[in-house]
Amino acid sequence: MRCTTALLPASRSEDRMKRATALLLTLCLSGALVQAETASGSDLSHEVRALRATVEELRLMESRLAASELKVKDQENSVKDLRTELDVTKTELLLYHEKAKELEKKLADGHKVAFSVALTGPVGPFNVETTLIYPKVMTNIGNAYNVYSGFFSAPVNGVYFFRFNAMDDRKSHHMGVALHKNDQRVLLDYAWNHWDDHEHVSNGVILELSQGDVVHMRLPAGYRVTDWDTRHFNIFSGFLLFPM
């Protein structure tokens, strides 16, 4: 608002001039004040709206931050669980490694057992079941097979493999052999010779033995097996797979 002051005639009194001047000044100040108040209210309202928008943005950021912190915490817990599982796996692997090293040491420094023996002539028939004694020793590492008794004695606790072959040439007769662990029959292999020719049987088995257990071959009553010197149709073999 613009304010102008008109010049009064010199004839007017001094009081009337003062009153008019005061009135004009009041009007000017009142208009300026209204404009100032209006301008100030508009700026304040704008600042309040801007402040509210900032507060809402901060709340949104705070919510996102809280969600991110929760996700990070869950990931940290998952990482802790994975580390725990990894530590357990490492411990188990170390135990397996130690066991493997111990077993390797036993195999390297422990007992070496292997034998293979054969008959050198016909045996049987007998009226009772009889232990077969193989007099021809081809291999007897560890001396676990007794050539006088026909028994193999386990020198250590372990898992062993045994195999045998048997042959006879009598026509119209049974032939065969049985493998025994201690006093228990494990295998019995036999055949009927229909022709005047060689009849063969063979078999093998893996046994878990304790130290001192014996394994031997027996000839059933009425059976016969036949061999000639170096032919070695009848062989009994075994060896230690691994100790326990």
Side-chain angles (χ1 to χ4, degrees):
M1 177 183 290
R2 293 182 179 179
C3 297
T4 56
T5 304
L7 295 177
L8 296 176
S11 62
R12 293 181 180 179
S13 65
E14 186 177 350
D15 292 336
R16 291 180 62 186
M17 291 180 64
K18 289 181 179 180
R19 286 197 297 270
T21 301
L23 179 59
L24 288 173
L25 290 173
T26 301
L27 290 174
C28 288
L29 290 173
S30 297
L33 181 61
V34 170
Q35 288 182 356
E37 288 178 352
T38 302
S40 300
S42 177
D43 292 342
L44 182 60
S45 177
H46 178 72
E47 290 179 1
V48 168
R49 286 196 298 270
L51 182 60
R52 286 178 177 173
T54 302
V55 170
E56 290 299 324
E57 186 176 354
L58 289 175
R59 286 178 178 174
L60 181 59
M61 292 176 64
E62 183 180 5
S63 177
R64 291 176 179 175
L65 180 60
S68 298
E69 289 177 348
L70 183 60
K71 185 180 294 185
V72 169
K73 188 174 182 180
D74 291 339
Q75 291 176 347
E76 288 177 350
N77 291 334
S78 298
V79 170
K80 288 180 180 179
D81 293 340
L82 289 174
R83 284 178 177 172
T84 301
E85 292 179 4
L86 181 60
D87 290 339
V88 172
T89 303
K90 285 181 178 179
T91 302
E92 292 177 348
L93 286 175
L94 287 174
L95 290 175
Y96 289 140
H97 182 65
E98 292 298 324
K99 288 182 178 179
K101 287 176 63 177
E102 183 180 352
L103 182 58
E104 288 177 358
K105 186 177 180 181
K106 285 183 178 180
L107 290 174
D109 302 334
H111 292 275
K112 295 180 176 63
V113 182
F115 76 96
S116 191
V117 293
L119 297 179
T120 56
V123 180
F126 303 109
N127 293 329
V128 295
E129 189 175 65
T130 305
T131 298
L132 280 170
I133 299 175
Y134 297 80
K136 175 63 177 180
V137 176
M138 292 178 281
T139 304
N140 193 16
I141 299 172
N143 295 315
Y145 175 78
N146 189 316
V147 69
Y148 301 105
S149 66
F151 284 9
F152 168 85
S153 298
V156 294
N157 298 342
V159 177
Y160 296 78
F161 176 75
F162 297 93
R163 180 171 178 79
F164 60 86
N165 297 339
M167 188 279 290
D168 191 31
D169 60 354
R170 293 187 304 162
K171 182 180 178 180
S172 300
H173 282 83
H174 275 110
M175 58 80 57
V177 290
L179 183 143
H180 283 244
K181 172 186 174 182
N182 298 325
D183 294 328
Q184 178 184 3
R185 176 186 290 175
V186 178
L187 294 174
L188 171 61
D189 279 63
Y190 64 91
W192 176 264
N193 194 341
H194 294 276
W195 314 103
D196 188 13
D197 199 355
H198 297 172
E199 189 69 41
H200 298 263
V201 294
S202 63
N203 212 333
V205 64
I206 295 174
L207 296 177
E208 181 179 345
L209 303 179
S210 299
Q211 184 177 9
D213 283 344
V214 295
V215 177
H216 57 288
M217 302 298 300
R218 296 181 68 85
L219 184 68
Y223 284 27
R224 190 186 82 165
V225 289
T226 303
D227 219 317
W228 296 281
D229 296 329
T230 59
R231 300 289 183 89
H232 304 320
F233 292 115
N234 298 269
I235 292 180
F236 178 35
S237 303
F239 55 88
L240 173 65
L241 288 174
F242 53 86
M244 294 183 63

Coordinates of all heavy atoms in Angstrom, one line a residue, residues 132 134 163-168 174-178 187-193 198-204 217-220 223-225 232-235:
L132 N 40.3 -131.7 7.6 CA 41.3 -131.8 6.5 C 42.5 -131.1 6.8 O 42.5 -129.9 7.3 CB 40.7 -131.2 5.2 CG 39.7 -132.0 4.4 CD1 39.0 -131.2 3.3 CD2 40.4 -133.2 3.8
Y134 N 46.0 -129.8 5.3 CA 46.6 -129.5 4.0 C 48.1 -129.5 4.2 O 48.7 -128.5 4.8 CB 46.1 -128.2 3.4 CG 44.7 -128.2 3.1 CD1 43.7 -128.0 4.1 CD2 44.2 -128.3 1.8 CE1 42.3 -128.0 3.8 CE2 42.9 -128.3 1.5 CZ 41.9 -128.1 2.5 OH 40.6 -128.1 2.2
R163 N 38.8 -118.8 1.2 CA 38.3 -119.4 0.0 C 38.9 -120.8 -0.1 O 40.0 -121.1 0.4 CB 38.8 -118.6 -1.2 CG 38.3 -119.2 -2.6 CD 38.6 -118.3 -3.7 NE 38.2 -118.9 -5.0 CZ 37.0 -119.0 -5.4 NH1 36.0 -118.4 -4.7 NH2 36.7 -119.6 -6.6
F164 N 38.1 -121.7 -0.7 CA 38.5 -123.1 -0.9 C 38.1 -123.7 -2.2 O 37.1 -123.2 -2.8 CB 38.0 -124.0 0.2 CG 36.5 -124.0 0.3 CD1 35.8 -125.0 -0.4 CD2 35.8 -123.2 1.2 CE1 34.4 -125.0 -0.3 CE2 34.5 -123.2 1.3 CZ 33.8 -124.2 0.5
N165 N 38.8 -124.6 -2.8 CA 38.4 -125.4 -3.9 C 38.5 -126.9 -3.5 O 39.4 -127.3 -2.7 CB 39.4 -125.2 -5.1 CG 39.3 -123.8 -5.6 OD1 38.4 -123.1 -5.4 ND2 40.4 -123.4 -6.3
A166 N 37.7 -127.7 -4.1 CA 37.7 -129.2 -3.8 C 37.4 -130.0 -5.1 O 36.6 -129.5 -5.9 CB 36.8 -129.6 -2.7
M167 N 38.0 -131.2 -5.2 CA 37.8 -132.0 -6.4 C 37.8 -133.5 -6.0 O 38.5 -133.9 -5.1 CB 38.9 -131.7 -7.4 CG 38.6 -132.3 -8.8 SD 39.2 -134.1 -8.9 CE 40.9 -133.9 -8.8
D168 N 37.0 -134.3 -6.8 CA 37.1 -135.7 -6.7 C 36.7 -136.3 -8.0 O 36.1 -135.7 -8.8 CB 36.1 -136.3 -5.6 CG 36.4 -137.7 -5.3 OD1 37.6 -138.2 -5.4 OD2 35.4 -138.4 -4.9
H174 N 29.2 -138.9 -3.8 CA 29.2 -137.5 -3.4 C 30.6 -137.1 -3.1 O 31.4 -137.9 -2.7 CB 28.3 -137.4 -2.1 CG 26.9 -137.2 -2.3 ND1 25.9 -138.1 -2.0 CD2 26.2 -136.1 -2.9 CE1 24.7 -137.7 -2.4 NE2 24.9 -136.5 -2.9
M175 N 30.8 -135.8 -3.3 CA 32.1 -135.2 -2.9 C 31.8 -133.8 -2.4 O 30.8 -133.2 -2.7 CB 33.1 -135.1 -4.1 CG 32.6 -134.4 -5.3 SD 32.8 -132.5 -5.2 CE 34.5 -132.3 -4.9
G176 N 32.7 -133.3 -1.6 CA 32.5 -131.9 -1.1 C 33.3 -131.7 0.2 O 33.9 -132.6 0.8
V177 N 33.2 -130.5 0.7 CA 33.9 -130.1 1.9 C 33.1 -129.1 2.7 O 32.2 -128.4 2.1 CB 35.3 -129.5 1.6 CG1 36.3 -130.6 1.1 CG2 35.2 -128.4 0.6
A178 N 33.4 -128.9 3.9 CA 32.7 -127.9 4.8 C 33.7 -127.0 5.4 O 34.7 -127.4 5.9 CB 31.8 -128.6 5.8
L187 N 30.0 -123.1 5.9 CA 29.6 -123.5 4.5 C 29.8 -125.0 4.3 O 30.6 -125.6 4.9 CB 30.6 -122.8 3.5 CG 30.5 -121.2 3.4 CD1 31.6 -120.7 2.5 CD2 29.1 -120.8 2.9
L188 N 28.9 -125.5 3.5 CA 29.0 -126.9 3.0 C 28.8 -126.9 1.5 O 27.7 -126.6 1.1 CB 28.0 -127.8 3.7 CG 27.9 -129.2 3.2 CD1 29.2 -130.0 3.3 CD2 26.8 -130.0 3.9
D189 N 29.8 -127.3 0.7 CA 29.6 -127.4 -0.7 C 29.9 -128.8 -1.1 O 30.9 -129.4 -0.8 CB 30.6 -126.5 -1.4 CG 30.2 -125.0 -1.4 OD1 30.0 -124.4 -0.3 OD2 30.0 -124.5 -2.5
Y190 N 28.9 -129.4 -1.9 CA 29.1 -130.8 -2.3 C 28.4 -130.9 -3.7 O 27.7 -130.1 -4.2 CB 28.5 -131.7 -1.3 CG 27.0 -131.6 -1.1 CD1 26.1 -132.3 -1.9 CD2 26.4 -130.7 -0.2 CE1 24.7 -132.2 -1.7 CE2 25.1 -130.6 0.0 CZ 24.2 -131.3 -0.8 OH 22.9 -131.2 -0.7
A191 N 28.7 -132.1 -4.3 CA 28.2 -132.4 -5.6 C 28.2 -133.9 -5.8 O 28.9 -134.7 -5.1 CB 29.0 -131.7 -6.7
W192 N 27.3 -134.4 -6.7 CA 27.3 -135.8 -7.1 C 27.9 -136.0 -8.4 O 27.6 -135.3 -9.4 CB 25.8 -136.3 -7.1 CG 25.6 -137.7 -7.5 CD1 25.3 -138.1 -8.8 CD2 25.7 -138.8 -6.7 NE1 25.2 -139.5 -8.8 CE2 25.5 -140.0 -7.5 CE3 26.0 -139.1 -5.3 CZ2 25.5 -141.3 -7.0 CZ3 25.9 -140.3 -4.9 CH2 25.7 -141.4 -5.7
N193 N 28.9 -136.9 -8.4 CA 29.6 -137.1 -9.7 C 28.9 -138.1 -10.6 O 28.9 -139.3 -10.3 CB 31.0 -137.7 -9.3 CG 32.0 -137.6 -10.5 OD1 31.5 -137.5 -11.7 ND2 33.3 -137.7 -10.3
H198 N 36.3 -135.5 -13.3 CA 36.6 -134.6 -12.2 C 35.3 -133.8 -11.8 O 34.7 -133.1 -12.7 CB 37.7 -133.7 -12.5 CG 39.0 -134.4 -12.7 ND1 40.2 -133.8 -13.1 CD2 39.3 -135.7 -12.6 CE1 41.1 -134.7 -13.3 NE2 40.6 -135.9 -13.0
E199 N 34.9 -133.8 -10.6 CA 33.8 -133.0 -10.1 C 34.4 -131.9 -9.1 O 35.2 -132.3 -8.2 CB 32.8 -133.8 -9.4 CG 31.5 -133.1 -9.0 CD 30.7 -132.7 -10.3 OE1 30.6 -133.6 -11.2 OE2 30.2 -131.6 -10.3
H200 N 34.1 -130.7 -9.3 CA 34.7 -129.6 -8.5 C 33.6 -128.8 -7.8 O 32.5 -128.6 -8.2 CB 35.4 -128.6 -9.4 CG 36.6 -129.2 -10.2 ND1 37.9 -129.1 -9.7 CD2 36.6 -129.9 -11.3 CE1 38.7 -129.7 -10.6 NE2 37.9 -130.2 -11.6
V201 N 34.0 -128.3 -6.6 CA 33.2 -127.3 -5.9 C 34.1 -126.2 -5.4 O 35.3 -126.5 -5.1 CB 32.4 -127.9 -4.7 CG1 31.3 -128.9 -5.2 CG2 33.3 -128.6 -3.7
S202 N 33.6 -125.0 -5.2 CA 34.5 -123.9 -4.6 C 33.5 -122.9 -4.0 O 32.4 -122.8 -4.4 CB 35.3 -123.3 -5.7 OG 34.6 -122.7 -6.7
N203 N 34.1 -122.1 -3.1 CA 33.3 -121.1 -2.4 C 34.2 -120.2 -1.7 O 35.4 -120.5 -1.5 CB 32.2 -121.7 -1.5 CG 31.0 -120.8 -1.4 OD1 31.1 -119.6 -1.6 ND2 29.9 -121.5 -1.1
G204 N 33.7 -119.1 -1.1 CA 34.5 -118.1 -0.3 C 33.6 -117.4 0.6 O 32.3 -117.3 0.4
M217 N 38.8 -126.7 7.5 CA 38.0 -127.4 6.6 C 37.8 -128.8 7.1 O 38.7 -129.4 7.7 CB 38.7 -127.4 5.2 CG 39.0 -126.1 4.6 SD 37.6 -125.1 4.3 CE 36.7 -126.1 3.1
R218 N 36.6 -129.3 6.8 CA 36.2 -130.7 7.3 C 35.7 -131.5 6.1 O 35.0 -130.9 5.2 CB 35.3 -130.7 8.4 CG 35.9 -130.0 9.7 CD 34.9 -130.0 10.8 NE 34.6 -131.3 11.4 CZ 35.4 -132.0 12.3 NH1 36.4 -131.4 12.7 NH2 35.1 -133.1 12.7
L219 N 36.0 -132.8 6.1 CA 35.5 -133.7 5.1 C 34.3 -134.5 5.7 O 34.5 -135.2 6.6 CB 36.6 -134.6 4.6 CG 36.3 -135.6 3.5 CD1 36.1 -134.9 2.2 CD2 37.4 -136.6 3.4
P220 N 33.1 -134.3 5.1 CA 31.9 -135.1 5.7 C 32.1 -136.6 5.6 O 32.9 -137.1 4.7 CB 30.8 -134.6 4.8 CG 31.2 -133.3 4.2 CD 32.7 -133.4 4.0
Y223 N 32.6 -139.0 2.3 CA 33.1 -138.2 1.2 C 34.6 -138.4 1.0 O 35.3 -138.8 1.8 CB 32.8 -136.7 1.4 CG 31.4 -136.2 1.2 CD1 30.3 -137.1 1.4 CD2 31.1 -134.9 0.9 CE1 29.0 -136.7 1.3 CE2 29.8 -134.5 0.8 CZ 28.7 -135.4 1.0 OH 27.4 -135.0 0.8
R224 N 35.0 -138.1 -0.3 CA 36.4 -138.1 -0.6 C 36.8 -137.0 -1.5 O 36.0 -136.5 -2.3 CB 36.8 -139.4 -1.3 CG 38.3 -139.7 -1.4 CD 38.6 -140.9 -2.3 NE 38.5 -140.6 -3.7 CZ 39.0 -141.4 -4.6 NH1 39.6 -142.6 -4.3 NH2 38.9 -141.1 -5.9
V225 N 38.0 -136.5 -1.3 CA 38.6 -135.5 -2.2 C 39.9 -136.1 -2.8 O 40.6 -136.9 -2.1 CB 38.8 -134.1 -1.6 CG1 37.5 -133.4 -1.3 CG2 39.7 -134.3 -0.3
H232 N 47.2 -129.5 -7.3 CA 46.5 -128.5 -6.4 C 45.1 -128.2 -6.8 O 44.7 -127.1 -6.9 CB 47.3 -127.2 -6.3 CG 48.8 -127.4 -5.9 ND1 49.2 -128.4 -5.0 CD2 49.9 -126.8 -6.4 CE1 50.5 -128.3 -4.9 NE2 51.0 -127.4 -5.7
F233 N 44.3 -129.3 -6.9 CA 42.9 -129.2 -7.1 C 42.2 -128.7 -5.8 O 41.1 -128.2 -5.9 CB 42.3 -130.5 -7.6 CG 42.7 -130.8 -9.0 CD1 43.4 -132.0 -9.2 CD2 42.3 -130.1 -10.1 CE1 43.8 -132.4 -10.5 CE2 42.7 -130.4 -11.4 CZ 43.4 -131.6 -11.6
N234 N 42.8 -129.1 -4.7 CA 42.2 -128.8 -3.4 C 43.0 -127.8 -2.7 O 44.1 -128.1 -2.2 CB 42.1 -130.1 -2.6 CG 41.2 -131.1 -3.2 OD1 40.0 -131.2 -3.0 ND2 41.7 -131.9 -4.1
I235 N 42.5 -126.6 -2.5 CA 43.3 -125.5 -1.9 C 42.4 -124.8 -0.9 O 41.2 -124.6 -1.1 CB 43.7 -124.5 -3.0 CG1 44.8 -125.1 -3.9 CG2 44.3 -123.2 -2.3 CD1 45.3 -124.1 -5.0

